[in-house]
């Protein structure tokens, strides 16, 4: 099995890429929405089940968005054999990096980041000044961190189809279904139920 981590800063399009991967017939899970992550109190280690929205000043300094290793380990077992994509970004990625075969980091410039966070409708994170400041601060850091670790770094300000084509191309031995192949009856696009 090949497990692919699609990561990047808030607003880089991870959830959108996840949806397009699903539409193309691939197994893709959103780490934010599919039970892989939660907020934790960094001081106590306790899980925060009802985080404030928007977060008050100072909240992000004490709390972090964390991935649950046991959930990723379960995905590895559930996905044998085949390829699975997990899309998300957490501050404790180092705790699960050894479980991934391929890492792809989506990057965008600051102007695009600000625009996306201000206009997206699927997630409110980034609209509050403290959240926006954190996202802007982390934007160049995410790229530098993942480049230094050998991840495939992709410019996610390009059209979605191009970005997803490049995500698929980063996976050794995976042929990306495109054009006629993707639309053929019984092909990959037909194996995913609508709305999944």
């Amino acid at each position: 099995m090949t497990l692919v981590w699609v990561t990047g800063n808030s607003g880089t399009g991870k959830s959108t890429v996840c949806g397009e991967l699903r539409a193309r017939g691939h197994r893709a899970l959103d780490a934010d929405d599919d039970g892989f992550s939660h907020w934790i109190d960094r001081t106590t280690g306790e899980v925060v089940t009802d985080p404030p929205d928007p977060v008050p000043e100072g909240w992000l300094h004490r709390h972090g968005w964390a991935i649950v290793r046991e959930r990723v380990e379960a995905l590895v077992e559930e996905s044998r054999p085949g390829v699975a994509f997990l899309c998300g970004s957490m501050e404790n990625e180092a705790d699960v990096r050894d479980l991934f075969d391929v890492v792809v980091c989506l990057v965008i410039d600051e102007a695009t980041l600000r625009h996306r966070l201000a206009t997206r409708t699927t997630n409110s994170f980034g609209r509050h000044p403290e959240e926006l400041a954190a996202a802007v601060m982390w934007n160049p850091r995410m790229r530098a961190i993942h480049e230094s670790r050998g991840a495939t770094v992709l410019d996610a300000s390009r059209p979605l189809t191009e970005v997803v084509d490049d995500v698929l191309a980063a996976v050794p031995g995976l042929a990306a279904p495109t054009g006629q192949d993707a639309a053929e009856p019984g092909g990959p696009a037909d194996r995913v139920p609508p709305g999944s």
Side-chain angles (χ1 to χ4, degrees):
M1 189 213 92
T2 301
L3 186 58
V4 183
W5 180 237
V6 180
T7 188
N9 197 30
S10 295
T12 55
K14 300 178 298 294
S15 294
T16 304
V17 165
C18 185
E20 178 65 13
L21 287 166
R22 288 176 180 168
R24 294 189 188 193
H26 297 283
R27 180 158 195 207
L29 299 137
D30 189 318
D32 290 348
D33 299 328
D34 293 331
F36 288 89
S37 51
H38 52 229
W39 286 103
I40 60 162
D41 183 316
R42 291 190 194 103
T43 304
T44 65
E46 293 178 17
V47 173
V48 178
T49 56
D50 190 20
D53 184 20
V55 299
E57 185 176 345
W59 197 86
L60 291 175
H61 294 292
R62 178 167 175 158
H63 298 86
W65 190 236
I67 194 162
V68 179
R69 182 178 174 92
E70 293 77 16
R71 183 64 185 95
V72 181
E73 289 172 337
L75 175 61
V76 171
E77 294 305 315
E78 294 163 11
S79 300
R80 294 184 194 278
V83 177
F85 297 84
L86 183 58
C87 306
S89 178
M90 289 80 192
E91 66 179 48
N92 66 329
E93 288 181 13
D95 295 347
V96 295
R97 190 169 291 110
D98 62 299
L99 299 174
F100 292 93
D101 303 290
V102 176
V103 178
V104 176
C105 180
L106 306 179
V107 298
I108 55 177
D109 60 88
E110 184 177 325
T112 302
L113 172 72
R114 287 178 178 275
H115 174 74
R116 286 186 181 177
L117 293 179
T119 60
R120 68 181 176 179
T121 58
T122 57
N123 185 332
S124 65
F125 187 87
R127 289 204 180 99
H128 186 272
E130 183 162 337
E131 296 168 347
L132 177 60
V136 168
M137 177 190 71
W138 273 103
N139 198 41
R141 292 182 185 181
M142 289 290 287
R143 178 181 193 134
I145 289 168
H146 287 287
E147 279 182 338
S148 72
R149 293 176 177 155
T152 298
V153 177
L154 300 177
D155 177 4
S157 64
R158 297 173 300 139
L160 177 62
T161 55
E162 292 179 21
V163 175
V164 174
D165 286 347
D166 286 349
V167 168
L168 295 172
V171 182
L174 180 64
T178 58
Q180 185 71 18
D181 293 339
E184 289 179 1
D190 289 340
R191 291 197 287 266
V192 179
S196 63

